[in-house]
Amino acid sequence: MTHSTQNFAKHQTMTSLLDVTDLTVSIPSRFGEFKAVDSVNLSIKAGEIHGLVGESGAGKSTIGAAIIGLLEHPAFIESGSIRLTGEEITNLDDDTYHLLRGNRISMIFQDPQTSLNPLLKISDQLIETIQQHKALDFQAARQLAIELLEETGIESAEQRMDEYPHQFSGGMRQRVVIAMALCTDPELIIADEPTTALDVSVQKQILKLIRELAQQRQVGVILITHDIGVIAEITDNVTVLRNGRIIESGPTIQVLGTPAQDYTRALMAAVPRLDKRIERFVNIVNEDKSIEGEATWTISGASAEHATQWLLTSKTATPTTTDSLKNTTPPILEVNDLSVTFGKKSQWFIKQPGFKALKNVSLSIRRGEVLGIVGESGSGKSTLAKAIVGLVPTSSGDMRFNGQVLPDANARARNHPARRDIQMVFQDPYSSLNNRRTVEAILTEPLTFYGLAKKGPDSKKLVASVLELVEMPQRAMLKYPHQFSGGQRQRIAVARALMARPSFLICDEPTSALDVSIQAQLLNLLKDLQSHFGLTILFISHNLAVVRQMADHVVVLKSGEEIEQSESELFFSSPKAEYSQQLLRETPSLQMVRG
Amino acid sequence: MYARFKRYAVENEILYLFLHNRVAQLAALIATLMLGGAALAPWVAPTNPYDLTSFDLLDSLLPPSWSDAGDTRFVIGTDDQGRDLLSAILYGTRLSLLVGILSVSFASVLGVTLGLMAGYLGGRFDAIVMRIADVQLSLPAILTALLIDGIARGILPQQNHDDLMIIVLTVAIGLSLWVNFARTARASTFVEKNKEYVQACEIMGMPPLRIMVVQILPNIMGPIMVILTIDLAVAILLEATLSFLGVGVPPNQPSLGTLIRIGTEYLFSGEWWIVAFPSLTLVILIVSVNVLGDFLRDALNPKLR
C-alpha cells in the first residue's frame, strides 16, 4: 500500500477497478529489445466491458498477460504500474500473485478445447478450483459449481457436471470455462479472444452471456479481440492498439461512431460490410518496398504487364464479360447430386455405414462468375472443394467441367486437363507453402510440371512477372516462405495458383487466417484478378460479410445439405430459408454499436 | 567478412544457439579432434600397429611414459605384443568410427526410405513395414548382429572373411538400428502429408515418388538429423560390444572394442593402462557425440526453447 499511496494524488483510482499507467513491456531478443507494449494507459470500472482491439502484433494479448502476471519469459514489465482497486500489483512475488490470480482476476482463453483438462470430469475441475480459493466442503463446492453452470446457461447442470469436456460442444465448453472463471467471484475477468474459435451463432450467445454476467455481478471485463464487430456488439469502452501503442481510446459509440484517428477509420473501412457491396477496400498498410533495394532488384523484361499478357493468351481465359453475357454463357462447372461419405467400410462381416459429409449437393457456376459457399464449421464446405479438385472421392452424383464429365479423386487421371484448369488457394498460408523451397522453386513447379514454360530465363521472367502481378517485389523469388508474413504468403499462394493458367479458382477460406487490413488487400487482389482474367472463382468462407463482397451467387450449406441457393443481392436483402436469416442476424457487424 | 559472419550468426537459429552453448562447443571440439586424429591416423600415429614387423616383443606391457618403468617412445605404454597403445587407439578409433558411420548411413537410408513410404502410402504397405519393425525391435541388437555374423561366417569363404568383416558388421549394426529411423520418418511424414502444400501437389497430379522425395523429405530431415547423431554413438558402442565379444573386426586390425577386450585380460595383473585408455577414449567419444546430438535436438525443437 505504501507504494501506491504516492501515486494517489496523480490518479483518481478510487472509482476505478483497474488502472494501468504508462505500461511498457519489453521483450529482449538477440535482434535487440522489442517493445511489445509501449506506454499504455487503461482504466476499467466495475461492471464495464472494455475492448482491446488491434491487428496481430498490436500487443493486445501482452497487456492481458501483464495484468494477470503471466508474461512469458523473456518478456518483462519495463516501466509503468498496474493497480487493482488502488493496489500496485506489478511488484508482487509469485506466491502472492498466485492468490490474486483466480481470486480477484480470472482469465478466459481463446480455445475451449485446450483450456479444459480432457481427462478430468467437469465437476472435478470446477470443484477443485472452488476449493482452492474458498474454504468450502465438497458438497457446498459442488452445489456452487452447479449454480455457476446454471448461471452460465448449461441446462440440467446437475447431470452434465459429471461429464467429460469432449462430451460438450465448443460453445458449451466455453460456457464451462466461463463458469470456472467465475468460481471465485473475481473482480476482473480478462477474456482473450473468447469467441474466435466458435461459429457465429454460438459466438452471439457467448457474448450475450458475458454482457449479462458483467452487469449482474459487477465484474470488470477486458475483452481482447481482433474483430471490430465483436467490439461493436458488446463493449462499453474500447481501446484501439497498433504496434503496442494506443491509437485511440474512449466510449465505443464515440470511437467507432466518430473515429478521430485515421487508423481507426481505416481499420473500420477494411472490415467487410454485410449491408452493401463495395468495389474496393481502403488500403491501410503501407508496405515499405524500398528496404534493401527490394524494388530495384528486377529481372529484365519482367513486369505485371508481361504476366497479364501471358495469362490472357491462354486458351481458356476470357476477358471481362458484361453481366448480360454472363447469363448466356454455359456453366463451367456443374455438380449434380454430389455426396461424399467418409469411413465407409465393408469387409467380410463388418459393415460401417460411414459419415455423410455431403448430401446430394447440386450447383452450377457460369464462366467468369464468383460463387460463394457459406456455412458453419462441419457444413461440408471444404469437403465440396476437395471433391471438386480431386482430393476426396465421391460416393454418388457427378461433376461436369466445361461440359465434360469430371472423374472423382479415384478415377481422375494424373494428367487430366482439369488438374491444371482448376487450382486452389488454401486456408492456412503457413502450411500451404513448402518451407524448404524458395519462392522461385515453388512458383516454377507448376510451369514445368504442366509444360507451360521451360526452366530457365523464360520461367524466371514469368515467376518475377506474376509476383509483380500479385503486388509482391520481384526479389521475393529468392527468399523462403518463412521470411514472409501471412498476407504475403497468401499472395504467393495465389501466384502459385495463377502459374498454372487456370480458368477456375477455388479459394477455401483464403482470408480467415489474416488480419482485416491484410484481408482487405487480398480481397482487392482477388477482385482484380477476377475481373481482369475472367476467372471463375468458388469462394468458400464462414464469414458472410466477406462472401457478400465477393460473390455473385451464394450457396448455403448446413451439415452437408444445401439450404439455399440464390443470387447474391437477393440473398443478402431477403434470405428465404430460416437458417440463412439466422446466420445473417448473428454475424456481428459494425452496425451493432451499443446504444 | 567478419561482419557478414556475425550477422549470419544472429540470423541462423542453430549457429546462434551453438555460439552461446559452451558445452556443445566443447563436445564439438573433442569430437572434431578425435575424428581428425582417427582420419589422419596413418600420418599422426607414431607407429603402424598393423605392421607386425614394426614392433618388438621386448617392448611388451610397458607402462605409460610418466611411470618409473615407462619408455619415452610409448607415451601411454604398450600392450601384450609390444604395440604402441596410442597408435593402436588412433587406428582403433578410426575403425570404430568407420563402422559406426557406415552402419548409421545404411540404417538411415533403409529406415527413412521405408518410413517415408509407409507414412505417405499408408494402408497395407504401412502395416507390413511397421510389423516387420516391431519384430526387429523385439530382437536385441546384439542378437541380430550375432545372427548375421554367424550366417556370414557360414556362407563366406574363409580367406575373404577378414576383408568382408567390416561390411558384415555394418549390415548387422545397420539392421538393428533402422527401426528408429523408420518410425521417426513415418511419424513426421504423417504430419507433413496432411499439410496443404502436399495437397496442392496432389491436386496437380504430381507422382507420389516426386512428392515424397522433393516435397516431404526435406521437411522431415530435422528429427532425422537428431537420430543420426544419437544413433552414431549407439552404433560405435554396438561395434565395441561386438568386438569385445569377439565377433567383430579381426584381432589383427583392432578396434576400440577389441583393445578393451584384450585389455581386460591384463586388468588384474596390474597392467591397467591397456584397458583404461581405450575405454576412456570410447567414453569421451560417445559422450561428446551424444552431447552434440542432444544439442541438435534442443536446437531443432522450438518447444524446448
Side-chain angles (χ1 to χ4, degrees):
Chain A
M1 283 307 274
T2 46
H3 183 84
S4 54
T5 39
Q6 59 204 19
N7 293 327
F8 258 59
K10 276 194 286 178
H11 306 275
Q12 312 97 316
T13 45
M14 296 310 284
T15 50
S16 55
L17 173 66
L18 179 87
D19 267 291
V20 175
T21 10
D22 276 333
L23 180 73
T24 300
V25 177
S26 294
I27 304 174
S29 80
R30 55 181 198 262
F31 304 105
E33 200 152 276
F34 167 69
K35 281 202 169 98
V37 175
D38 196 356
S39 10
V40 162
N41 295 299
L42 282 179
S43 169
I44 290 144
K45 291 186 200 62
E48 171 190 339
I49 298 185
H50 193 109
L52 294 183
V53 70
E55 301 179 272
S56 44
K60 332 180 271 290
S61 294
T62 317
I63 295 177
I67 294 170
I68 203 166
L70 286 176
L71 277 179
E72 255 178 61
H73 180 80
F76 69 100
I77 296 177
E78 194 177 287
S79 63
S81 77
I82 302 170
R83 284 192 305 281
L84 190 64
T85 55
E87 246 175 285
E88 179 67 43
I89 57 172
T90 45
N91 49 6
L92 294 181
D93 58 78
D94 280 357
D95 289 341
T96 334
Y97 227 126
H98 187 75
L99 288 175
L100 185 84
R101 227 170 4 233
N103 253 346
R104 303 183 58 192
I105 311 178
S106 281
M107 185 126 188
I108 302 170
F109 293 97
Q110 172 174 358
D111 192 357
Q113 305 265 34
T114 50
S115 48
L116 290 174
N117 186 339
L119 293 178
L120 293 179
K121 288 174 190 161
I122 298 296
S123 56
D124 295 339
Q125 302 189 38
L126 279 167
I127 293 167
E128 189 200 343
T129 321
I130 293 170
Q131 285 190 320
Q132 225 176 37
H133 291 284
K134 285 186 179 170
L136 287 176
D137 62 31
F138 183 82
Q139 275 310 320
R142 190 180 161 87
Q143 198 48 47
L144 181 64
I146 292 170
E147 279 165 25
L148 282 169
L149 286 179
E150 273 165 358
E151 193 180 343
T152 51
I154 289 177
E155 282 160 30
S156 53
E158 184 116 37
Q159 288 100 56
R160 300 219 70 184
M161 276 281 278
D162 293 311
E163 290 181 8
Y164 289 92
H166 73 263
Q167 289 166 295
F168 289 78
S169 68
M172 282 296 154
R173 236 178 268 153
Q174 195 64 300
R175 282 172 196 270
V176 174
V177 173
I178 293 174
M180 204 180 271
L182 291 175
C183 276
T184 52
D185 278 322
E187 295 156 53
L188 179 72
I189 293 179
I190 299 170
D192 192 350
E193 306 264 7
T195 56
T196 308
L198 306 173
D199 281 327
V200 275
S201 53
V202 186
Q203 164 168 325
K204 183 107 177 170
Q205 295 162 9
I206 296 287
L207 289 178
K208 204 170 142 229
L209 176 67
I210 293 178
R211 176 82 248 165
E212 285 166 7
L213 289 172
Q215 252 154 13
Q216 284 163 12
R217 293 178 160 251
Q218 283 298 299
V219 189
V221 177
I222 297 181
L223 187 87
I224 298 166
T225 182
H226 68 280
D227 190 341
I228 232 168
V230 170
I231 292 287
E233 209 172 321
I234 74 159
T235 60
D236 303 306
N237 292 305
V238 64
T239 298
V240 183
L241 292 156
R242 189 188 196 186
N243 300 333
R245 288 204 184 84
I246 291 186
I247 297 292
E248 197 170 354
S249 187
T252 309
I253 315 174
Q254 184 198 319
V255 173
L256 298 189
T258 51
Q261 298 294 322
D262 286 345
Y263 179 74
T264 317
R265 234 170 281 145
L267 195 64
M268 288 171 66
V271 179
R273 296 177 63 144
L274 202 52
D275 57 335
K276 70 173 187 215
R277 183 171 174 151
I278 40 179
E279 283 318 310
R280 281 193 78 83
F281 293 102
V282 191
N283 194 355
I284 53 173
V285 200
N286 298 316
E287 271 166 288
D288 201 358
K289 284 189 186 173
S290 59
I291 344 158
E292 288 180 51
E294 293 273 294
T296 51
W297 192 95
T298 49
I299 279 175
S300 67
S303 64
E305 287 76 48
H306 179 69
T308 313
Q309 279 306 315
W310 179 73
L311 284 169
L312 281 176
T313 47
S314 71
K315 289 193 296 283
T316 43
T318 43
T320 327
T321 46
T322 58
D323 277 24
S324 59
L325 240 163
K326 265 186 196 172
N327 291 331
T328 55
T329 46
I332 184 167
L333 178 82
E334 274 178 290
V335 172
N336 295 317
D337 275 341
L338 195 74
S339 295
V340 172
T341 311
F342 288 124
K344 191 178 178 179
K345 266 188 200 159
S346 51
Q347 290 176 331
W348 294 316
F349 303 108
I350 314 152
K351 270 215 169 100
Q352 276 182 13
F355 164 69
K356 275 200 157 191
L358 219 54
K359 297 165 198 157
N360 305 324
V361 171
S362 304
L363 51 90
S364 79
I365 311 168
R366 279 180 225 285
R367 187 175 291 285
E369 195 179 67
V370 179
L371 179 75
I373 299 199
V374 292
E376 304 187 302
S377 51
S379 62
K381 311 182 296 279
S382 292
T383 309
L384 178 64
K386 284 180 179 175
I388 295 171
V389 293
L391 280 175
V392 168
T394 59
S395 50
S396 69
D398 67 285
M399 298 179 278
R400 287 178 166 271
F401 186 67
N402 276 331
Q404 307 280 314
V405 172
L406 187 66
D408 82 330
N410 292 336
R412 193 176 302 180
R414 231 168 248 305
N415 56 1
H416 194 281
R419 284 197 187 268
R420 183 190 64 73
D421 236 0
I422 305 178
Q423 288 293 318
M424 186 153 169
V425 174
F426 294 89
Q427 173 174 8
D428 180 9
Y430 294 93
S431 89
S432 67
L433 301 173
N434 189 340
N435 273 324
R436 299 280 163 155
R437 316 197 75 202
T438 60
V439 171
E440 184 183 358
I442 291 170
L443 294 185
T444 313
E445 189 93 56
L447 280 180
T448 48
F449 187 80
Y450 298 120
L452 299 171
K454 282 241 162 53
K455 199 172 173 168
D458 270 8
S459 72
K460 264 193 166 37
K461 197 168 142 189
L462 279 172
V463 166
S465 304
V466 173
L467 275 175
E468 183 111 21
L469 187 71
V470 297
E471 291 151 26
M472 293 282 289
Q474 294 187 13
R475 208 185 120 86
M477 64 194 278
L478 301 177
K479 297 190 186 176
Y480 286 87
H482 71 84
Q483 291 166 290
F484 296 99
S485 66
Q488 290 171 320
R489 278 162 162 258
Q490 200 61 305
R491 277 193 239 163
I492 295 170
V494 172
R496 175 178 59 190
L498 287 179
M499 293 317 289
R501 286 214 278 201
S503 56
F504 189 83
L505 194 63
I506 296 177
C507 299
D508 187 0
E509 304 258 14
T511 60
S512 64
L514 307 176
D515 276 331
V516 275
S517 57
I518 311 291
Q519 163 172 295
Q521 284 183 346
L522 196 79
L523 293 181
N524 278 343
L525 174 70
L526 285 173
K527 275 172 180 249
D528 288 350
L529 292 174
Q530 198 267 336
S531 61
H532 247 85
F533 304 110
L535 275 176
T536 316
I537 297 179
L538 185 75
F539 194 92
I540 297 171
S541 181
H542 69 282
N543 189 337
L544 282 162
V546 172
V547 172
R548 166 89 173 141
Q549 303 307 319
M550 295 297 297
D552 301 318
H553 272 82
V554 177
V555 172
V556 183
L557 291 181
K558 187 195 181 192
S559 23
E561 276 169 287
E562 202 177 302
I563 298 293
E564 186 171 359
Q565 185 164 166
S566 102
E567 234 240 281
S568 181
E569 291 302 312
L570 213 63
F571 174 82
F572 284 100
S573 56
S574 54
K576 283 192 287 289
E578 175 73 23
Y579 178 69
S580 318
Q581 289 166 8
Q582 187 197 339
L583 269 184
L584 277 171
R585 254 199 324 275
E586 280 158 355
T587 303
S589 72
L590 287 177
Q591 283 68 51
M592 292 181 184
V593 180
R594 290 175 56 82
Chain B
M1 187 62 203
Y2 178 69
R4 267 186 69 187
F5 172 77
K6 219 173 158 184
R7 210 186 120 200
Y8 181 74
V10 168
E11 279 168 3
N12 187 303
E13 200 77 49
I14 293 172
L15 187 61
Y16 177 85
L17 289 172
F18 181 73
L19 291 177
H20 288 77
N21 188 336
R22 289 267 172 269
V23 179
Q25 284 170 26
L26 187 70
L29 182 74
I30 293 172
T32 318
L33 275 180
M34 290 188 130
L35 205 69
L40 302 173
W43 294 278
V44 294
T47 60
N48 181 358
Y50 295 168
D51 182 4
L52 296 171
T53 57
S54 71
F55 40 83
D56 194 339
L57 264 181
L58 289 175
D59 296 331
S60 69
L61 299 175
L62 282 175
S65 56
W66 57 83
S67 61
D68 298 337
D71 190 323
T72 45
R73 282 181 299 151
F74 311 109
V75 186
I76 53 169
T78 59
D79 66 0
D80 56 332
Q81 296 174 40
R83 277 187 294 211
D84 174 32
L85 208 52
L86 179 64
S87 313
I89 288 176
L90 282 172
Y91 274 86
T93 313
R94 180 172 143 104
L95 201 63
S96 284
L97 273 172
L98 182 74
V99 172
I101 290 171
L102 278 180
S103 53
V104 167
S105 313
F106 174 69
S108 61
V109 171
L110 183 71
V112 171
T113 310
L114 287 175
L116 187 60
M117 284 171 74
Y120 186 72
L121 301 175
R124 205 157 291 171
F125 184 85
D126 179 32
I128 291 171
V129 169
M130 289 337 276
R131 287 307 79 73
I132 294 174
D134 288 346
V135 172
Q136 178 77 66
L137 268 191
S138 67
L139 293 174
I142 294 195
L143 200 63
T144 316
L146 282 174
L147 201 72
I148 289 173
D149 185 66
I151 294 170
R153 271 173 210 272
I155 296 172
L156 299 172
Q158 194 58 50
Q159 63 268 33
N160 290 346
H161 185 247
D162 284 355
D163 306 334
L164 291 170
M165 223 32 239
I166 290 181
I167 296 169
V168 172
L169 215 56
T170 301
V171 173
I173 297 172
L175 272 185
S176 55
L177 289 180
W178 71 272
V179 178
N180 251 341
F181 289 97
R183 293 202 152 174
T184 311
R186 174 173 172 268
S188 311
T189 307
F190 266 144
V191 175
E192 294 300 320
K193 184 172 90 164
N194 292 319
K195 289 206 176 154
E196 288 165 345
Y197 74 91
V198 176
Q199 291 182 1
C201 296
E202 281 167 358
I203 293 172
M204 284 169 69
M206 204 182 270
L209 186 68
R210 191 172 155 75
I211 296 182
M212 280 190 263
V213 176
V214 179
Q215 305 285 344
I216 298 179
L217 186 61
N219 280 294
I220 62 168
M221 280 319 281
I224 303 286
M225 290 303 291
V226 175
I227 298 197
L228 215 60
T229 43
I230 291 174
D231 270 14
L232 176 64
V234 175
I236 294 170
L237 216 52
L238 261 181
E239 186 277 328
T241 315
L242 289 173
S243 298
F244 181 81
L245 291 175
V247 289
V249 290
N252 63 346
Q253 290 181 22
S255 75
L256 285 177
T258 327
L259 287 174
I260 295 169
R261 175 168 57 103
I262 298 168
T264 46
E265 292 166 19
Y266 297 91
L267 190 57
F268 292 109
S269 54
E271 284 91 15
W272 55 272
W273 58 92
I274 306 181
V275 67
F277 289 109
S279 308
L280 209 61
T281 316
L282 185 65
V283 169
I284 293 175
L285 182 65
I286 302 293
V287 168
S288 59
V289 170
N290 265 337
V291 166
L292 277 182
D294 270 357
F295 161 75
L296 210 58
R297 187 184 57 203
D298 295 352
L300 290 172
N301 188 349
K303 278 184 197 151
L304 285 176
R305 234 176 277 142

